Amino acid sequence: MDTSDRDLIARVLDGERERFQELVRRHAGPIWSTVRAALHNAEDARDVFQETWLRAFERLHELRDPSRVRAWLVSIARNESRARLRRKGAFDAASSGTEDALVDPDAHDGLDHLARTEELGGLRVLIERLPERQREVLDLRLNHELSHGEIADALGITPENSRANYYQALRKLRAWACDDEVTT
Amino acid sequence: MNPTDGCQRVRGRMDELLDDALAPVEAAFDRGHVEACAECARELLRREALLDGIRRATAPDPLEVARAVTGTLARLEGASLAPPPRREAGERRRAIVMAVATLAAAAVFLALLESAGLGVPRWSAPRLPAWTVSIQAGADLLSGVGLGGVR
Ligand SMILES: [Zn+2]
């Protein structure tokens, strides 16, 4: 049976340093997604990914709720990515804007068209059009199965805000998919 | 079949249903409706397909992740990392043994001095002024400056 995050972290803190590797393997996905989305250069992303884990190791004793380690790691990855961007002079504080106008929740006709494998490229383009915050929430919720509470911890927002961003992103994608279908 | 009020309600919160965000009673109602309503069943499938599409369109590339992990494990291996700052069990035991040994050594030293007739000046309590403030008066004084709380 898999050791829980709580047990794993307790063991690392009790001196079984090599156990930290298990944490790296277990939570690599969301950390990679986070740094990769923030940094467009793969080399930088790999570097910041490593720095995130080094920082996490140093600060492991500060983690208050080990069952929420994934959210905690994502928040470190975001901070490290920001620090890297700031150092490069490219951090755009305005990019964290989130709320766009609501779209018609009933628009949905293009979905069948969009979800087909050959349309994934088109779906990627639409996802890119979403505000950064909504993309982050979608990724953490759908690819890494964080709850809205955990997403809230990771992004420094409220769970309600996480839900609002998530549902709004889905409504927009449905509406855009519909437009896309109409115009092609 | 024309959409009914039930359809409107179910579709209005279908994202929440798929997000496991509905109360059990609401979720059971909606699932029941979807089983009986072909239009809503179709809509549910569409939305599930969109979620699946988003996952596939945005999932991290497993090769990129593997490469990042390999680099990190190598760096962790190579780095002379200080252990996380919590005392290890062995370290704690060592600290206790050291403290007890120091006390024992001090006691033996004092006993040797005594037996050698060198004597050790007896400790005597310093003379303190007579305190006349009662515990209750002290508590009142503290609560007066916002430090109270013990009554
Ligand atoms: Zn219906």
Side-chain angles (χ1 to χ4, degrees):
Chain A
M1 204 176 80
D2 275 356
T3 317
S4 71
D5 283 336
R6 188 177 289 278
D7 289 345
L8 207 50
I9 289 164
R11 288 184 183 194
V12 174
L13 289 172
D14 277 339
E16 292 181 43
R17 278 182 39 168
E18 65 287 353
R19 288 287 192 153
F20 190 73
Q21 298 191 351
E22 259 173 87
L23 271 185
V24 176
R25 290 196 189 90
R26 191 176 286 186
H27 299 291
I31 307 311
W32 177 253
S33 287
T34 302
V35 299
R36 194 70 184 89
L39 304 157
H40 297 292
N41 171 326
E43 190 78 27
D44 280 349
R46 273 195 293 277
D47 219 32
V48 170
F49 181 87
Q50 293 184 8
E51 282 161 16
T52 297
W53 286 106
L54 292 174
R55 186 80 60 244
F57 183 84
E58 286 164 12
R59 291 173 44 192
L60 199 58
H61 64 289
E62 294 172 17
L63 174 60
R64 277 169 298 152
D65 182 358
S67 65
R68 293 201 158 193
V69 65
R70 184 165 276 207
W72 181 73
L73 290 166
V74 168
S75 71
I76 295 178
R78 282 166 51 82
N79 288 338
E80 291 296 317
S81 302
R82 284 213 192 97
R84 170 62 59 104
L85 287 170
R86 259 197 307 272
R87 277 200 297 279
K88 292 187 128 192
F91 182 61
D92 176 16
S95 70
S96 55
T98 53
E99 262 51 64
D100 280 17
L102 283 168
V103 293
D104 176 9
D106 291 319
H108 58 243
D109 285 340
L111 284 189
D112 292 342
H113 166 74
L114 249 189
R116 286 199 296 269
T117 312
E118 65 268 29
E119 296 302 330
L120 279 183
L123 185 50
R124 264 188 211 110
V125 170
L126 295 186
I127 292 168
E128 280 298 310
R129 279 167 62 188
L130 292 170
E132 184 187 355
R133 173 58 45 83
Q134 294 184 2
R135 271 185 277 130
E136 286 175 324
V137 172
L138 273 188
D139 178 58
L140 293 174
R141 184 81 188 111
L142 293 176
N143 288 322
H144 309 298
E145 291 168 359
L146 268 70
S147 68
H148 288 291
E150 290 171 308
I151 294 172
D153 284 353
L155 305 185
I157 57 178
T158 64
E160 293 69 34
N161 201 241
S162 171
R163 279 190 200 93
N165 274 289
Y166 177 72
Y167 298 135
Q168 201 169 57
L170 294 179
R171 283 196 293 269
K172 272 190 221 172
L173 289 174
R174 282 199 293 274
W176 290 341
C178 184
D179 290 349
D180 205 41
E181 173 108 304
V182 171
T183 54
T184 50
Chain B
M1 198 173 100
N2 286 327
T4 62
D5 285 351
C7 295
Q8 297 252 321
R9 193 193 324 173
V10 168
R11 289 185 209 175
R13 61 190 192 195
M14 205 169 250
D15 288 334
E16 285 84 346
L17 176 70
L18 290 171
D19 195 33
D20 284 328
L22 293 184
V25 180
E26 293 172 328
F29 174 89
D30 291 10
R31 295 268 176 210
H33 176 92
V34 167
E35 271 179 33
C37 174
E39 272 303 300
C40 287
R42 214 162 88 89
E43 177 61 17
L44 189 71
L45 285 178
R46 280 176 169 153
R47 294 200 191 191
E48 282 173 337
L50 175 66
L51 296 180
D52 190 46
I54 296 171
R55 281 190 194 98
R56 283 182 294 135
T58 60
D61 176 352
L63 283 179
E64 276 195 332
V65 178
R67 198 171 160 197
V69 167
T70 307
T72 301
L73 296 185
R75 190 158 160 194
L76 283 168
E77 198 101 321
S80 52
L81 288 172
R86 180 199 274 186
R87 273 195 164 176
E88 295 168 28
E91 232 180 298
R92 274 198 299 271
R93 257 195 312 277
R94 262 196 305 282
I96 292 167
V97 169
M98 281 297 287
V100 170
T102 309
L103 278 175
V108 169
F109 181 63
L110 288 176
L112 283 174
L113 280 181
E114 191 104 50
S115 67
L118 290 172
V120 184
R122 295 253 162 235
W123 180 84
S124 57
R127 204 170 289 250
L128 294 172
W131 293 90
T132 53
V133 182
S134 71
I135 290 173
Q136 186 54 49
D140 289 344
L141 197 66
L142 286 178
S143 68
V145 291
L147 292 170
V150 189
R151 281 263 125 196

